Amino acid sequence: MAIGNTDGVGLPPGENLRRQFERDVLAGLSTTQKTLPCKYLYDEAGSKLFEAICDLDDYYLTRTEAAIFTRALDEMASVLGREAQLIEPGAGNCEKAEPLLAAMDNPSAYYPLDISREILLQAQQRIQQRLPQLEIVPIIGDFTADDVWGRLPQSGARKVIFFPGSTIGNFSHEQARALLIRFAGQLNPGDGLLLGADLVKDSVVLERAYHDSNHVTEAFNKNLLNRINSELNGDFNTEAFAHRAFYHSFRQRVEMHLVSLVEQQVSVSGRQFQFAEGETIHTENSHKYTLPDLQDLLRNTGFSPEKYWTDNKQHYAIYYAQIP
Ligand code: AVJ
């Protein structure tokens, strides 16, 4: 299948990815507060587990966002305007973009960006069947790196960056600002951003979403240790670690950790790491925003917030902002 001439250009070979993973893991396990970059949670097994999380009753985010989209789809489509091109960083299976593209007035192109080539190609095939006129060009790469943005085809059409799923929550406030500034740098006056974000709410609701009663999030978190074991010759005993997730109200984020249940030593890539009983590896942050926080974030990064949609419990928001 043709996927456009941007396929794979500049994609680091698998060996570079493995070395980067190794560097990041060894560095992360060497700091006082052990930490691992959350992007490594999303290998093939992790992505499947994350999809299972999205179906959980306890994980209100996915269905709440989906309900907002369903209800506001026509309004969003009209705000996006005719013949716009949609660019989606971290598109994954593109399931959120599909109904939006179908509702939009003659969209000129769809550019999904993701590290997972297989998932993008499947999604392209599915969407192309439904929307045969639409130009779809998957861009394979990490949207937090510069090179993918350079590989976006340049057309004269109005651009809208589509960033749903509360992916913004994985970034610290500083990183989120840098990311939105980078988005703004891709856009021209009048271009837009459609951003989904999880809102600050009761900590019991938040904590249940990240410590679900089906233990899927636990499996998702521990999958990172399995991944280190298989890819970096590690000997983590996943039973000697517990999943922990709590809402840090001052930092406005849910933190996910793996807690060592005993004093132990773990070997990774031939290096030894000591764990005290109760010591943790910080594996993910999920930042929560208030509506004014989101407006400030948008205003401080070159956007003008235009419109938002939320659910009746105000658990989740989707913001539309423009470059003035
Ligand atoms: C993919 C960042 C939106 O923070 O809610 C879900 C990731 N981690 N459960 C989130 C996640 C554990 C998720 N995001």
Side-chain angles (χ1 to χ4, degrees), residues 41-42 50 53 59 61 165-167 169-170 209-210 217 220 256 284-286 288:
L41 289 163
Y42 301 86
F50 179 63
I53 288 173
Y59 194 72
L61 286 82
S166 195
T167 307
N170 270 165
Y210 295 85
T217 312
F220 171 70
M256 209 164 75
E284 198 177 36
N285 288 320
S286 188
K288 308 302 168 188

Side-chain angles (χ1 to χ4, degrees), residues 19-278:
R19 285 196 190 154
Q20 187 62 53
F21 181 42
E22 181 173 56
R23 265 198 299 276
D24 288 344
V25 168
L26 295 179
L29 294 179
S30 303
T31 45
T32 310
Q33 167 62 69
K34 292 177 170 64
T35 171
L36 293 169
C38 65
K39 65 179 173 185
Y40 294 121
L41 289 163
Y42 301 86
D43 64 345
E44 212 185 303
S47 299
K48 292 220 171 81
L49 286 164
F50 179 63
E51 280 184 28
I53 288 173
C54 291
D55 291 334
L56 296 171
D57 282 345
D58 289 333
Y59 194 72
Y60 61 86
L61 286 82
T62 310
R63 68 173 133 47
T64 307
E65 187 189 59
I68 299 169
F69 272 121
T70 304
R71 195 170 39 76
L73 209 52
D74 291 339
E75 229 174 275
M76 288 176 183
S78 93
V79 166
L80 301 194
R82 353 188 16 238
E83 290 170 12
Q85 50 169 303
L86 201 66
I87 302 165
E88 185 177 3
N93 61 19
C94 309
E95 267 175 6
K96 293 165 186 166
E98 186 177 335
L100 186 61
L101 288 161
M104 282 167 70
D105 184 359
N106 200 19
S108 74
Y110 176 47
Y111 302 129
L113 277 53
D114 206 278
I115 48 171
S116 175
R117 178 194 168 90
E118 282 316 302
I119 291 177
L120 276 188
L121 293 183
Q122 274 174 27
Q124 176 186 29
Q125 211 165 27
R126 188 190 73 233
I127 298 176
Q128 198 74 79
Q129 247 166 46
R130 178 163 172 196
L131 304 167
Q133 307 297 331
L134 181 67
E135 176 181 289
I136 307 175
V137 183
I139 315 274
I140 294 137
D142 178 350
F143 70 82
T144 63
D146 275 315
D147 74 296
V148 279
W149 295 97
R151 285 188 275 126
L152 274 179
Q154 294 304 322
S155 83
R158 230 183 103 244
K159 295 179 195 165
V160 176
I161 293 181
F162 182 47
F163 201 49
S166 195
T167 307
I168 191 80
N170 270 165
F171 296 84
S172 70
H173 291 141
E174 203 174 315
Q175 291 167 334
R177 258 197 303 279
L179 186 67
L180 292 200
I181 288 170
R182 178 180 297 220
F183 287 177
Q186 299 297 321
L187 301 175
N188 298 308
D191 288 350
L193 167 69
L194 197 59
L195 173 75
D198 196 24
L199 299 177
V200 169
K201 62 184 62 64
D202 188 283
S203 63
V204 174
V205 176
L206 284 169
E207 287 176 358
R208 214 187 301 126
Y210 295 85
H211 206 137
D212 64 274
S213 50
N214 303 62
H215 306 282
V216 185
T217 312
E218 174 183 340
F220 171 70
N221 201 5
K222 289 189 177 184
N223 174 59
L224 190 49
L225 302 182
N226 291 326
R227 183 176 179 189
I228 293 171
N229 285 349
S230 64
E231 292 178 34
L232 303 177
N233 193 27
D235 68 352
F236 276 105
N237 171 8
T238 56
E239 312 227 308
F241 287 84
H243 168 67
R244 180 185 292 165
F246 59 90
Y247 184 59
H248 191 307
S249 58
F250 176 69
R251 295 192 173 132
Q252 280 185 213
R253 68 189 192 196
V254 174
E255 293 191 8
M256 209 164 75
H257 293 251
L258 288 160
V259 191
S260 178
L261 294 172
V262 291
E263 183 181 331
Q264 57 183 319
Q265 177 173 296
V266 177
S267 164
V268 177
S269 285
R271 280 182 43 189
Q272 311 305 315
F273 297 95
Q274 287 301 131
F275 286 84
E277 184 185 334

